[in-house]
Amino acid sequence: MTLAARERRLGWGLVAPALLWTLAFFVLPFVAMLALSFARMEGREVVAGFDPGNYIRFFTDWTLFKALVTSLEITAVVTVVSLILAYPLAAIIAFRVPQRWQRLALLLAVLPFWTSYVVRSYSWLLVLGQNGVVNKTLLWAGLIAEPLEIAATRTATIIGFVHFFVMLLTLTIYANLIQLSPNYARAAQDLGAGRIATFIHVILPLTLPGVVTGAFLTFVLCIGDYITPQILGGNNELTLPQLIMLQLGRSGNFPLASALSVILMAVVTLAYAASARWLRLDRL
């Protein structure tokens, strides 16, 4: 056996456990879900077959399609607002906070990750409720005459999401900012660029990989989340994950739930393809 063949055999041996794990816990379950999405319900029985009726129903029934639209709208707002808040925070930690205090600042930034996701959502429900801190403060200040309806709305869902994802984006953007040499900004200023021009033409393009990475992670985690919309948003308008759980828990319509899950995965795959393509172009 040649040396190249041995190295190739060793490489496959090292990769095999990960491939088997992926095959057993991702590929095979996905294939089973995809096959189930083409089945149909007859009463309470699942009848196997190749029937695209579940997908046709999704794109023709506005009640179902609206769940995807709602998920995309919430995800877009959360991503944009989180980016707007996270970039200045990451820049302050990277450029304004003394280096000896940056670890403490990052530790404070990741504190929300140490709290249970469910506990954090219920905490926001208490803060935003009619008798919560926000309404009591506004009433005490005389800014409102009666409590605002914030809980169980899309606004509450967005607030809960932003609270979490701002910190995630801060970490990814900070990781790019801290690697930038100050010579880039100095060179731009020597050439006559002001602070705004330096940021737009130098700092921002060099940190876009971190921005795109954080935005993609925010998109994936936000659009697939069930807990936050269920607790903070109530059932006034359903997101796609809520609709999937509704089909599983109440209707028992596993084929339709599978089709909705496949559509959700397709949306995430398209977002990944767009992000990956941009990042490849950025590295050229």
Side-chain angles (χ1 to χ4, degrees):
M1 182 180 295
T2 64
L3 179 60
R6 290 180 180 177
E7 291 180 350
R8 190 161 51 248
R9 187 173 182 179
L10 177 61
W12 279 109
L14 294 174
V15 173
L19 291 178
L20 292 175
W21 181 274
T22 303
L23 178 66
F25 295 100
F26 177 77
V27 176
L28 292 180
F30 175 74
V31 171
M33 184 178 68
L34 182 62
L36 183 59
S37 69
F38 288 99
R40 68 179 188 278
M41 295 292 297
E42 290 186 359
R44 291 190 170 273
E45 297 294 329
V46 177
V47 179
F50 189 79
D51 185 358
N54 293 316
Y55 295 96
I56 296 174
R57 178 183 174 186
F58 173 79
F59 288 105
T60 56
D61 188 342
W62 172 245
T63 304
L64 301 180
F65 189 77
K66 184 181 178 182
L68 176 59
V69 174
T70 301
S71 294
L72 290 174
E73 290 175 350
I74 292 175
T75 302
V77 173
V78 169
T79 302
V80 172
V81 173
S82 298
L83 281 173
I84 293 174
L85 296 176
Y87 204 107
L89 178 59
I92 290 172
I93 296 175
F95 300 138
R96 298 299 181 183
V97 176
Q99 191 171 5
R100 65 178 180 274
W101 296 108
Q102 286 186 8
R103 290 187 178 181
L104 177 60
L106 291 174
L107 178 64
L108 295 176
V110 300
L111 278 179
F113 293 95
W114 296 5
T115 309
S116 169
Y117 204 46
V118 177
V119 172
R120 188 164 56 248
S121 297
Y122 275 112
S123 298
W124 272 113
L125 189 63
L126 295 175
V127 170
L128 300 174
Q130 289 192 347
N131 296 319
V133 176
V134 173
N135 275 314
K136 284 186 176 181
T137 302
L138 294 176
L139 289 170
W140 175 81
L143 298 176
I144 57 175
E146 56 184 20
L148 299 175
E149 294 289 342
I150 306 176
T153 64
R154 180 183 294 196
T155 301
T157 301
I158 292 174
I159 291 174
F161 274 137
V162 169
H163 172 235
F164 178 79
F165 291 118
V166 162
M167 301 310 167
L168 177 64
L169 280 162
T170 298
L171 295 178
T172 59
I173 296 173
Y174 169 84
N176 278 257
L177 288 173
I178 202 65
Q179 297 177 20
L180 290 181
S181 172
N183 294 328
Y184 291 120
R186 292 170 185 167
Q189 292 170 2
D190 289 341
L191 294 173
R195 291 186 177 182
I196 297 178
T198 300
F199 172 76
I200 294 175
H201 298 289
V202 179
I203 304 299
L204 182 59
L206 291 175
T207 56
L208 272 181
V211 172
V212 174
T213 300
F216 172 71
L217 291 175
T218 300
F219 180 90
V220 173
L221 295 175
C222 184
I223 199 171
D225 190 277
Y226 166 77
I227 296 175
T228 300
Q230 183 68 20
I231 295 176
L232 293 178
N235 292 316
N236 295 325
E237 55 179 2
L238 295 177
T239 61
L240 195 54
Q242 286 178 289
L243 184 61
I244 293 172
M245 292 300 296
L246 189 64
Q247 299 302 319
L248 293 174
R250 294 187 181 180
S251 303
N253 194 335
F254 290 93
L256 181 57
S258 299
L260 296 175
S261 301
V262 171
I263 292 170
L264 181 60
M265 290 189 65
V267 172
V268 173
T269 302
L270 289 175
Y272 170 78
S275 301
R277 181 168 59 252
W278 188 93
L279 289 175
R280 285 199 298 270
L281 291 174
D282 180 77
R283 292 170 183 157
L284 294 178

